[in-house]
Amino acid sequence: MALTTRQRRPLPSDPPPSSPIYTKYDKPSRRLGDGGREEEKSLGWFVPVFALGMLRYMSATTNIIHDCDEVFNYWEPLHYLLYKSGFQTWEYSSEFALRSYLYILFHELVGRPASWLFAEDKVRVFYAVRLFLGLLSVTTDAVLVVALSRKYGRRLASYTLAMLCLTSGCFFASTSFLPSSFSMYAISLASGFFLLEKYAMAVAVSAAGVILGWPFSILAFLPVVFYSLARRFKQAFLAGAATSVTLLALSVFVDYQYYRRWTSSVLNLVVYNVVGGGESHLYGIEGPLYYLRNAFNNFNFGFVLALLFVGILPIARKKYAPGLVVVVSPVYIWLLFMSMQPHKEERFLYPIYPLICVAASAVIESFPDIFRDKYDPNANFVMVTTAKVLRPFVLGLILCASHSRTFSLVNGYAAPIEVYKILQHHDDAGPGSVVCVGSEWHRYPSSFFIPNYIGEVRWLDDGFRGLLPLPFNSTVGGTSAAPSYFNNKNKASDQQFLQDVEACTFLVELQLNRPYPSRGSDLSKWEPIAALPYLDREFSPPLYRSFFIPYLWQQRNVFGLYKLFRRIRN
């Protein structure tokens, strides 16, 4: 008679079966229970959602607008869809059709109900959309944090959560109305699903981030997509293919509804920038160190630590390879690729911002491993203990420097949005009033800050010779029009400037301590009705303008005045 061996049922406290991928069960346990190693309690959903929710709310309500492309390529088309007025750029001309209306419609899902709810108060609609962006960021980042906690433990997840909440880069990018921010959301979500071994969902989210967000971010998604396909090819491939085909077809259909011709804005953008050679250099070029400087400004020493992630792999391979290595690798791929492009903008780095937080947190969490002897756990006890104490100190330094950076930018450059809000208190100027803007056109915060009694916003010629946005023209087709004054060479149109300055009711100017006069200085014609300090970047020391240092920030920096004038009618 054959003998059989009965095996006990696994206890809840037992670790899962051995896996080639490191998990929190491989970490040294603090105490042993009757069933073996005690399971470390992972970080739940409440803390990440609550912490991220508070910080994203603060970002939505205090964030400045960092890039005029955010206004003219996204806020203005949304304003046109909601209110039938707004500025149009050449990218939205049906002749070029480089921008996707599907991305705009996604935000109209919130903007349209908000416009019904708040009626004529368009400023509230603006902030409603921003809160929606913050909610997206909370959701995707929370998934990433919880996934890190379940895979690698509470400490790494907690460090990452702190950096996602408080680093300047994530604070500002999380509520920016930009495709690169949408790709950033998708990177966080796809990375979280990947760590949770939901490979099909990771690939589907990656496809959405590329097609609905920013097509060029595909490079940042490749490591997660390839590894997911290697683990669950059929499921991941079908999910990615279905999502890609659906979104591409929907994008083409939506583009047809607005451009009134069959075209793909996704394909047009790729062709313009890659296949066709592109002419993005027309909008400025920067040196190869541009992104390194900007990333340091937004993450300070956290960015340095993120770059050192590769250096700790020999001693942390068991912990981080291959899972976290796959997640973090886009930081290096993206930095290398984007640094090779002549035209550079800070927002182009947004997709990898959450991954910088993960990489830096992993390095901080591994400080004791640098000194720990794997053959003799008791060796180097003093150094290991010192490294453990050093972890919260380094993290605190990074977060304090980041808060200093955030505070400096918010307080130094918030004047444009606040000044335009003053217009709603001067409706006695009457319907058809004209707001005129000269060299400050690039800080225009969008038509959401223009009250309904204002008839139009016009640009004044202050020497700029590039092509400026012009209003959507409903009489020639609105979104389907291909106005002759638009071109893809950044050549100014003779229709973009208002010739008769006497037609201006209001004037917006930044007055700096410069040896040339401004229009608003003629007090016989203009009455200042609002003036707020604005940091003078050119004459302020880099250290003090970049980081808020109590007392010294006000003393060492130079400020101009951002002013709103009203014409004096005789």
Side-chain angles (χ1 to χ4, degrees):
M1 181 170 126
L3 296 176
T4 59
T5 303
R6 295 183 62 185
Q7 298 181 357
R8 69 173 177 88
R9 294 180 180 178
L11 297 176
S13 58
D14 286 345
S18 60
S19 168
I21 299 179
Y22 175 86
T23 70
K24 63 185 179 182
Y25 296 106
D26 295 311
K27 296 173 66 176
S29 59
R30 294 181 180 176
R31 66 180 178 87
L32 295 178
D34 294 336
R37 184 171 295 151
E38 180 186 30
E39 178 180 344
E40 178 185 343
K41 185 179 178 182
S42 61
L43 200 64
W45 288 95
F46 176 77
V47 172
V49 170
F50 181 74
L52 287 164
M54 286 196 304
L55 270 297
R56 296 304 179 252
Y57 175 81
M58 293 174 60
S59 174
T61 54
T62 64
N63 196 1
I64 62 177
I65 295 178
H66 300 259
D67 194 313
C68 63
D69 272 1
E70 179 182 354
V71 170
F72 295 117
N73 278 329
Y74 306 104
W75 285 112
E76 287 300 296
L78 177 62
H79 187 275
Y80 181 78
L81 296 186
L82 296 178
Y83 301 102
K84 297 304 177 185
S85 67
F87 282 100
Q88 179 184 23
T89 63
W90 69 270
E91 292 101 320
Y92 279 93
S93 168
S94 63
E95 178 184 355
F96 305 106
L98 297 186
R99 303 296 178 184
S100 171
Y101 274 101
L102 180 60
Y103 176 70
I104 305 297
L105 283 182
F106 179 69
H107 297 80
E108 190 183 359
L109 294 174
V110 172
R112 181 67 65 183
S115 67
W116 297 335
L117 178 63
F118 299 122
E120 296 184 356
D121 194 346
K122 297 189 294 184
V123 173
R124 290 192 177 187
V125 178
F126 175 90
Y127 285 109
V129 175
R130 265 202 173 173
L131 287 171
F132 171 63
L133 296 173
L135 180 60
L136 290 176
S137 178
V138 169
T139 304
T140 57
D141 286 346
V143 171
L144 175 60
V145 170
V146 171
L148 287 169
S149 178
R150 293 181 181 179
K151 195 72 157 181
Y152 301 104
R154 291 169 61 94
R155 181 177 289 111
L156 176 59
S158 299
Y159 291 173
T160 303
L161 174 61
M163 296 190 70
L164 287 171
C165 286
L166 294 173
T167 51
S168 299
C170 292
F171 184 89
F172 293 128
S174 61
T175 55
S176 293
F177 187 5
L178 290 166
S180 52
S181 285
F182 187 86
S183 294
M184 180 186 72
Y185 307 150
I187 282 278
S188 288
L189 190 57
S191 299
F193 283 148
F194 172 78
L195 293 175
L196 293 172
E197 299 183 6
K198 300 181 182 296
Y199 301 115
M201 297 178 70
V203 174
V205 169
S206 299
V210 171
I211 297 171
L212 187 55
W214 194 24
F216 299 105
S217 65
I218 188 173
L219 283 175
F221 289 98
L222 286 181
V224 164
V225 170
F226 283 161
Y227 199 85
S228 296
L229 290 171
R231 297 303 297 269
R232 296 285 190 277
F233 179 80
K234 183 178 180 180
Q235 295 176 354
F237 177 80
L238 290 176
T243 304
S244 300
V245 171
T246 301
L247 287 178
L248 282 172
L250 187 59
S251 175
V252 170
F253 176 76
V254 170
D255 285 342
Y256 175 78
Q257 299 302 313
Y258 288 95
Y259 289 122
R260 304 311 302 175
R261 70 183 183 94
W262 290 108
T263 187
S264 170
S265 56
V266 176
L267 180 61
N268 294 341
L269 185 64
V270 172
V271 169
Y272 173 77
N273 284 281
V274 180
V275 180
E279 294 186 282
S280 59
H281 62 276
L282 294 172
Y283 306 95
I285 59 175
E286 299 288 346
L289 300 181
Y290 175 83
Y291 287 125
L292 297 181
R293 291 195 301 269
N294 274 271
F296 183 81
N297 282 338
N298 285 311
F299 294 93
N300 55 82
F301 297 105
F303 177 64
V304 177
L305 293 176
L307 294 181
L308 294 176
F309 178 81
V310 172
I312 68 164
L313 279 182
I315 61 174
R317 185 186 304 273
K318 183 181 179 182
K319 284 202 298 184
Y320 299 143
L324 205 64
V325 175
V326 173
V327 168
V328 168
S329 59
V331 171
Y332 305 97
I333 297 172
W334 194 247
L335 277 172
L336 179 62
F337 173 76
M338 296 308 298
S339 296
M340 294 169 59
Q341 310 308 310
H343 177 60
K344 299 177 177 66
E345 297 188 35
E346 184 176 321
R347 59 190 168 96
F348 293 169
L349 279 192
Y350 285 4
I352 63 169
Y353 276 4
L355 307 186
I356 292 175
C357 296
V358 174
S361 299
V363 173
I364 295 174
E365 200 262 350
S366 298
F367 278 176
D369 297 333
I370 299 175
F371 305 101
R372 184 178 287 122
D373 189 337
K374 64 180 180 179
Y375 299 109
D376 183 3
N378 296 319
N380 301 326
F381 175 78
V382 174
M383 296 299 296
V384 171
T385 303
T386 302
K388 289 180 179 180
V389 174
L390 194 62
R391 289 188 297 199
F393 175 79
V394 172
L395 179 64
L397 176 64
I398 293 170
L399 298 183
C400 286
S402 290
H403 181 68
S404 174
R405 165 82 172 168
T406 301
F407 196 89
S408 178
L409 293 185
V410 168
N411 286 275
Y413 301 106
I417 285 181
E418 299 305 319
V419 161
Y420 277 89
K421 288 179 182 178
I422 304 298
L423 286 170
Q424 62 185 319
H425 302 298
H426 291 270
D427 52 356
D428 60 313
S433 298
V434 179
V435 175
C436 293
V437 186
S439 59
E440 286 302 296
W441 66 268
H442 61 289
R443 296 191 181 101
Y444 177 65
S446 85
S447 298
F448 284 93
F449 294 87
I450 302 300
N452 290 333
Y453 75 87
I454 301 292
E456 59 180 346
V457 176
R458 296 300 305 269
W459 312 131
L460 300 179
D461 189 355
D462 273 350
F464 181 73
R465 290 297 171 259
L467 179 63
L468 290 176
L470 287 111
F472 278 96
N473 192 337
S474 298
T475 61
V476 295
T479 61
S480 63
S484 59
Y485 45 73
F486 282 140
N487 61 82
N488 61 354
K489 305 296 182 183
N490 198 25
K491 294 181 179 179
S493 166
D494 56 4
Q495 301 182 39
Q496 67 188 28
F497 295 120
L498 176 66
Q499 303 301 324
D500 182 14
V501 182
E502 296 298 318
C504 300
T505 312
F506 297 96
L507 174 68
V508 176
E509 278 192 338
L510 172 60
Q511 293 189 346
L512 301 172
N513 186 18
R514 301 291 190 275
Y516 49 80
S518 61
R519 293 185 179 89
S521 59
D522 187 353
L523 297 182
S524 64
K525 295 182 178 180
W526 297 103
E527 172 193 8
I529 57 176
L532 292 176
Y534 189 86
L535 189 61
D536 189 339
R537 185 180 184 277
E538 185 177 350
F539 285 91
S540 297
L543 175 63
Y544 297 105
R545 72 166 185 258
S546 297
F547 299 95
F548 178 84
I549 303 174
Y551 304 109
L552 296 179
W553 189 78
Q554 294 93 334
Q555 295 175 4
R556 298 293 182 89
N557 286 318
V558 177
F559 295 87
L561 286 175
Y562 211 91
K563 290 187 175 182
L564 174 63
F565 297 91
R566 181 171 174 174
R567 180 176 292 279
I568 299 174
R569 298 297 184 183
N570 298 325

